[in-house]
Amino acid sequence: IAHRPLLIRCDVATQLPAGVILAQGGRENGYALHLANGRPVFSVRIEGKLFAIEATRAPGERFSLEATLTTDGAMSLAVNGQTVATGKASGLIPVQPVDQLSIGEDLRTPVGDYQAPHALQGKVENVSIKTE
């Protein structure tokens, strides 16, 4: 994923308001989708600095997510096809993250503002991560 735009899609089912949906990387470089107070959050960490965008409301127990990070660092987060948050990172993730892709938890060091593993009580399905 180093130096590449990202397009992340997945379907989530959960009844609890917190947990990591998926994460790749850790406290230095990487990205994560997670829930905070029931609201989806897209976090990108570049050289230790955290950039995060968060939905303004909780989507319910079942929903689809789409997160993008573009070449210029633009971030967007969509729930069920509707854009719910936008923001800007300093650019693309500069190096391949050391921590592997984790689904349903963040197994090593946290990408976002949470304590690892911060497991999601629910299901994550139809995961697609594309680099362009």
Side-chain angles (χ1 to χ4, degrees):
I1 65 167
H3 302 287
R4 309 206 60 165
L6 294 172
L7 172 60
I8 306 156
R9 292 183 176 134
C10 63
D11 297 321
V12 180
T14 185
Q15 294 180 2
L16 297 179
V20 172
I21 296 164
L22 57 83
Q24 183 176 4
R27 67 177 162 252
E28 291 300 316
N29 294 287
Y31 65 88
L33 286 172
H34 55 100
L35 296 175
N37 300 314
R39 296 186 308 262
V41 180
F42 178 37
S43 295
V44 173
R45 195 168 291 267
I46 298 173
E47 296 176 340
K49 186 168 182 186
L50 179 62
F51 303 90
I53 55 175
E54 183 173 335
T56 56
R57 63 180 183 85
E61 294 179 5
R62 299 184 71 74
F63 53 93
S64 296
L65 289 178
E66 181 175 295
T68 60
L69 175 66
T70 64
T71 303
D72 65 355
M75 299 169 63
S76 69
L77 179 63
V79 175
N80 298 328
Q82 299 290 321
T83 300
V84 295
T86 59
K88 186 115 165 114
S90 61
L92 297 173
I93 298 168
V95 297
Q96 186 66 25
V98 174
D99 297 4
Q100 297 177 352
L101 177 65
S102 301
I103 297 177
E105 62 188 344
D106 193 342
L107 289 174
R108 297 188 67 196
T109 62
V111 174
D113 187 16
Y114 52 80
Q115 296 292 318
H118 199 47
L120 179 76
Q121 301 299 312
K123 285 187 189 180
V124 180
E125 299 177 309
N126 305 314
V127 175
S128 170
I129 302 167
K130 296 182 180 180
T131 57
E132 299 179 14

